[in-house]
Amino acid sequence: KGGVGKSTVTTNLAVAMAEKGYAVGLADADLHGPNIPKLLNAESIRLQSTEEGIVPYETRNGLKVASLGFLIEDPNMHIAWRDAVKYDFIIELLGNINWGKLDYLLFDLPPGTGNEQITIIDFIGDVDGAVIVTTPQDLSLLDARKMISFVRDSNVPIVGVIENMSTLTCPHCNKEIDVFKRGGGKNLAEELVLPYLGRIPLDGEIAIRSDNGEPVVLSSPDSLAAKAFITLAENCHKFLHPEN
Ligand code: ADP
């Protein structure tokens, strides 16, 4: 669902994996709201095309990033493309970016189960796994169920469900407040027999740091939120490499 934190989770997950020393690529496949450049404070970056393909933007910790946001001059300009044009763009994004050798390539998807999701799954052919991001609210859980059904139907393994914006810890008295309820993601995972990857707290630090283009994993590494993202990265690695 839109606004549940998919871009925030994908960015912090990618950064956490890069910090662990893996070679990581991050492809922003949200064509209508390509927010990854903003989340990495890289809005002024423009990608260069070479004979070997388009060179992705590389962050200081070696994360390679591609986004439509790096190609549009005016960030306020809307994108209204028909599916055929979106299809072509995604194929360009996937096919012409010179990622080099990667351990992980993460895709930040838009909400829903439409053109972008189908195109990416078809084009890659053997996606290793999907991470389902939901908040504890019923409306988000409802959309997450649809996504799970779609992913299962597409024969893509599900790494697990992550509950975002779960429980606020009051910065004054440390009391836990369930602003958007709690436990919906865990219940969903249990009901649909999926791994539960943990919960990311609702944390003003995430919102402020994200607005400043500073992934919380780097800017507040000791925060509960950063630790939850690092656990998420470890859980994803374990899912994909059960032998390690
Ligand atoms: P989506 O990609 O699902 O549309 P975003 O990642 O863009 O969602 O997040 C929407 C907004 O919520 C952003 O302003 C982001 O900073 C904020 N946000 C995301 N997760 C959290 C969280 N756990 N705590 C506080 N704010 C969050």
Side-chain angles (χ1 to χ4, degrees), residues 170-188:
C170 173
H172 306 293
C173 67
N174 277 338
K175 189 170 177 253
E176 292 197 338
I177 307 162
D178 295 327
V179 181
F180 298 141
K181 304 200 275 189
R182 180 208 290 228
K186 190 165 197 278
N187 295 342
L188 180 74

Side-chain angles (χ1 to χ4, degrees), residues 20-37:
K20 282 185 181 293
Y22 298 117
V24 185
L26 171 54
D28 184 356
D30 192 340
L31 308 185
H32 298 287
N35 292 334
I36 300 291

Side-chain angles (χ1 to χ4, degrees), residues 1-8 35 164-165 200-203 206-207 210:
K1 187 170 188 63
V4 300
K6 295 180 299 300
S7 300
T8 309
N35 292 334
N164 188 30
M165 305 194 191
I200 313 288
L202 179 66
D203 186 345
I206 296 183
S210 295

Side-chain angles (χ1 to χ4, degrees), residues 8-182:
T8 309
V9 169
T10 317
T11 303
N12 279 283
L13 175 58
V15 170
M17 286 174 156
E19 282 289 290
K20 282 185 181 293
Y22 298 117
V24 185
L26 171 54
D28 184 356
D30 192 340
L31 308 185
H32 298 287
N35 292 334
I36 300 291
K38 163 96 178 147
L39 290 172
L40 291 170
N41 194 19
E43 287 163 293
S44 60
I45 298 293
R46 293 291 167 266
L47 301 187
Q48 302 300 321
S49 196
T50 68
E51 279 183 6
E52 286 79 42
I54 301 169
V55 184
Y57 164 62
E58 195 165 333
T59 65
R60 253 176 292 166
N61 64 345
L63 171 66
K64 293 179 177 173
V65 190
S67 169
L68 178 57
F70 292 141
L71 306 174
I72 302 173
E73 280 308 317
D74 177 1
N76 299 320
M77 187 65 197
H78 71 280
I79 294 288
W81 290 344
R82 293 192 187 278
D83 277 357
V85 181
K86 288 199 220 171
Y87 178 88
D88 286 348
F89 181 80
I90 290 169
I91 302 301
E92 291 281 306
L93 187 78
L94 290 174
N96 283 335
I97 302 285
N98 186 358
W99 295 107
K101 198 168 156 21
L102 294 179
D103 297 311
Y104 290 102
L105 178 57
L106 275 67
F107 282 86
D108 181 32
L109 296 182
T113 55
N115 176 61
E116 286 88 322
Q117 290 80 359
I118 296 170
T119 305
I120 286 168
I121 289 172
D122 280 358
F123 186 75
I124 298 179
D126 59 348
V127 179
D128 290 308
V131 174
I132 310 291
V133 182
T134 183
T135 67
Q137 296 140 293
D138 282 356
L139 281 188
S140 173
L141 293 164
L142 199 60
D143 283 13
R145 281 170 191 278
K146 293 190 180 73
M147 190 63 189
I148 290 166
S149 161
F150 166 80
V151 171
R152 282 185 161 157
D153 211 37
S154 310
N155 293 319
V156 171
I158 298 179
V159 181
V161 177
I162 182 136
E163 181 174 297
N164 188 30
M165 305 194 191
S166 167
T167 308
L168 169 81
T169 302
C170 173
H172 306 293
C173 67
N174 277 338
K175 189 170 177 253
E176 292 197 338
I177 307 162
D178 295 327
V179 181
F180 298 141
K181 304 200 275 189
R182 180 208 290 228

